[in-house]
């Protein structure tokens, strides 16, 4: 019996020893140090906050088209060039808006770029009663040219006016002396090239917010243009004013004949040739239907978003990755903070919201409530979607269709402005 009891005690002792084996014998997978995750979150937060600060400074330094006029200036000679294709809906109002401008000797040339509607007939009717208007018809597009670039180039060749003004067919003026004041601004600032940024007429909260975000995307670039920073350039199709002598010196639109963003790169050519550009906000003076609706914005960006990154797939991939990391982390910031205790994620979200605060002054200038500007960063994905869609359609189609003409991607890449 004693032997049996001894065996039981030995068995129990051995079992207790086995159950209390050191935990070091259990294999574990090392966790990623939280230090590196926190550093990453703070870096993302810093990017958002630096962007917000840059935007706030850019907005404070924006230059607005002055209401004043120099009394000693003679009325300037301005030739307005509009490339119109199937613009019967807008062209009469646009032409009349220019004819109503005061304080300038104006000639208006509408280049009818292969229109199939009543655009030409409408312009001819106006020209019959006003000698300041002429129409130039284009029936055949030469090889190696985009339709709009060719039309603007042709229209600008037959003028001796001191200034050339390239404008879109939907440009409208709120005040009757905008062109005169723009020329006055160019002369007073000793500029060769002046662009006016219009108020974008948008319908609906989302379209208004996206229009505000779009402007903020170029506000810093506009600020650098006005401070004569190297390699800073931009342009806007609604109002691109340039000295005729400067335009001739840079070769007209010949260097831009296959450039989708011709208005932007006209500014680049001016800078490259030592000219001076100025970019003025004219929300109270000019309007444009560019941002009329979300669908309209996406449709317009379909043509030029991929062109803005020079048709580069690697740059597109990098932009998508950066967007997913930056915007995705900002939106998920509160969830990350609550579930993981990493409160640095809230700084990322706060940085996104700070960018909304920077947009508020722009929203108010565009005639929208302040809260539209405040929430505008939430709609960043719409612009990103438009950019991705632009690239996808261009790559799938193998090119861009514009004004009913197809341009192969290889040709666009080879002919892009450098």
């Amino acid at each position: 019996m004693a032997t049996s009891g001894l065996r039981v005690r030995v068995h129990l002792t051995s079992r207790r020893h086995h159950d209390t084996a050191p935990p070091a014998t259990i294999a574990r997978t090392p966790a990623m140090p939280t230090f590196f995750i926190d550093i990453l979150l703070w870096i993302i937060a810093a990017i958002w906050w630096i962007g917000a600060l840059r935007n706030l400074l850019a907005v404070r330094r924006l230059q607005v088209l002055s209401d004043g006029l120099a009394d000693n200036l003679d009325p300037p000679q301005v030739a307005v060039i509009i490339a119109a294709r199937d613009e019967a809906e807008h062209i009469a109002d646009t032409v009349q808006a220019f004819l109503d401008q005061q304080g300038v000797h104006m000639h208006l040339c509408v280049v009818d770029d292969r229109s199939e509607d009543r655009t030409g007939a409408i312009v001819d009717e106006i020209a019959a009663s006003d000698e300041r208007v002429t129409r130039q018809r284009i029936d055949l597009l030469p090889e190696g040219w985009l339709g709009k670039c060719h039309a603007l180039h042709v229209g600008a060749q037959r003028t001796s006016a001191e200034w050339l003004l390239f404008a879109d067919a939907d440009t409208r003026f709120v005040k009757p002396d905008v062109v005169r004041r723009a020329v006055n601004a160019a002369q007073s600032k000793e500029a060769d090239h002046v662009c006016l940024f219009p108020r974008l007429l948008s319908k609906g909260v989302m379209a208004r917010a996206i229009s505000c975000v779009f402007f903020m995307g170029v506000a810093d670039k506009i600020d650098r243009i006005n401070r004569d920073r190297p390699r800073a350039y931009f342009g806007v199709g609604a109002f691109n004013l340039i000295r005729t002598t400067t335009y001739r010196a840079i070769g007209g639109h010949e260097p831009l004949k296959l450039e989708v963003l011709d208005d932007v790169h006209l500014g680049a050519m001016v800078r490259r040739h030592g000219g001076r550009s100025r970019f003025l906000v004219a929300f109270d003076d000019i309007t444009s239907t560019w941002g009329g609706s979300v669908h309209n914005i996406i449709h317009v960006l379909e043509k030029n978003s991929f062109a803005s990154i020079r048709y580069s797939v690697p740059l597109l991939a990098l932009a998508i990755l950066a967007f997913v990391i930056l915007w995705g982390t900002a939106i998920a910031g509160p969830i990350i903070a609550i579930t993981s205790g990493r409160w640095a994620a809230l700084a990322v979200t706060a940085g996104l919201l700070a960018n909304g605060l920077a947009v508020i002054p722009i929203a108010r200038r565009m005639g929208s409530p302040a809260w539209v500007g405040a929430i505008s960063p939430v709609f960043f994905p719409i612009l990103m979607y438009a950019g991705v869609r632009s690239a996808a359609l261009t790559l799938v189609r193998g090119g861009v269709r514009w004004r009913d003409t197809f341009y192969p991607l290889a040709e666009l890449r080879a002919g892009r402005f450098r």
Side-chain angles (χ1 to χ4, degrees), residues 112-264:
D112 181 5
D113 181 23
R114 300 162 292 152
S115 294
E116 297 178 355
D117 62 2
R118 296 193 67 254
T119 296
I122 293 172
V123 175
D124 286 342
E125 293 171 1
I126 300 174
S129 59
D130 197 316
E131 61 181 8
R132 294 176 293 169
V133 180
T134 59
R135 177 177 73 96
Q136 191 162 355
R137 172 75 182 184
I138 293 177
D139 291 304
L140 182 63
L141 178 64
E143 289 290 333
W145 278 90
L146 292 177
K148 180 187 175 185
C149 297
H150 177 254
L152 295 176
H153 186 78
V154 169
Q157 298 310 305
R158 299 183 181 180
T159 180
S160 59
E162 181 184 2
W163 294 91
L164 288 169
L165 173 55
F166 299 108
D168 289 337
D170 62 348
T171 299
R172 299 288 188 276
F173 296 105
V174 178
K175 298 177 182 178
D177 58 352
V178 178
V179 176
R180 170 66 184 273
R181 286 188 284 125
V183 174
N184 183 53
Q187 293 173 331
S188 64
K189 298 175 183 296
E190 299 181 347
D192 304 284
H193 173 233
V194 170
C195 292
L196 302 184
F197 203 102
R199 175 178 297 185
L200 305 177
L201 301 178
S202 306
K203 298 177 181 178
V205 171
M206 187 179 296
R208 291 184 177 187
I210 295 172
S211 296
C212 292
V213 170
F214 175 81
F215 180 83
M216 286 307 306
V218 299
D220 182 66
K221 182 175 293 188
I222 291 172
D223 176 52
R224 290 188 289 115
I225 290 172
N226 291 334
R227 292 188 289 128
D228 294 319
R229 292 294 185 262
R231 296 182 298 277
Y233 62 87
F234 199 63
V236 61
F239 198 103
N240 238 346
L241 179 71
I242 185 171
R243 290 183 189 272
T244 303
T245 53
T246 302
Y247 181 76
R248 302 274 189 254
I250 64 180
H253 274 75
E254 180 81 25
L256 304 175
K257 58 185 181 181
L258 279 171
E259 183 56 63
V260 171
L261 297 172
D262 62 285
D263 49 358
V264 172

Side-chain angles (χ1 to χ4, degrees), residues 336-400:
I336 295 174
I338 294 173
T339 57
S340 68
R342 294 188 172 93
W343 303 109
L346 293 181
V348 179
T349 303
L352 174 68
L353 298 178
N355 279 267
L357 296 178
V359 183
I360 288 177
I362 298 304
R364 297 183 66 178
R365 287 186 182 185
M366 283 190 175
S368 296
W371 61 268
V372 171
I375 67 171
S376 60
V378 176
F379 298 106
F380 279 154
I382 302 297
L383 290 177
M384 192 65 204
Y385 164 76
V388 174
R389 183 173 184 271
S390 170
L393 291 176
T394 301
L395 293 172
V396 169
R397 295 169 179 170
V400 172

Side-chain angles (χ1 to χ4, degrees), residues 290-416:
W290 179 89
S293 65
V294 176
H295 177 268
N296 175 257
I297 293 173
I298 293 175
H299 177 70
V300 172
L301 293 178
E302 174 185 317
K303 168 180 64 69
N304 54 28
S305 287
F306 198 27
S308 68
I309 58 172
R310 319 306 286 158
Y311 308 106
S312 172
V313 175
L315 282 180
L316 174 67
L318 183 62
I320 295 173
L321 177 63
F323 173 79
V324 170
I325 293 174
L326 296 177
W327 193 84
T329 305
I331 293 299
I335 298 176
I336 295 174
I338 294 173
T339 57
S340 68
R342 294 188 172 93
W343 303 109
L346 293 181
V348 179
T349 303
L352 174 68
L353 298 178
N355 279 267
L357 296 178
V359 183
I360 288 177
I362 298 304
R364 297 183 66 178
R365 287 186 182 185
M366 283 190 175
S368 296
W371 61 268
V372 171
I375 67 171
S376 60
V378 176
F379 298 106
F380 279 154
I382 302 297
L383 290 177
M384 192 65 204
Y385 164 76
V388 174
R389 183 173 184 271
S390 170
L393 291 176
T394 301
L395 293 172
V396 169
R397 295 169 179 170
V400 172
R401 179 167 294 280
W402 189 20
R403 296 191 171 197
D404 294 330
T405 302
F406 181 77
Y407 304 95
L409 181 56
E411 184 179 6
L412 293 173
R413 281 173 167 162
R416 69 183 185 270

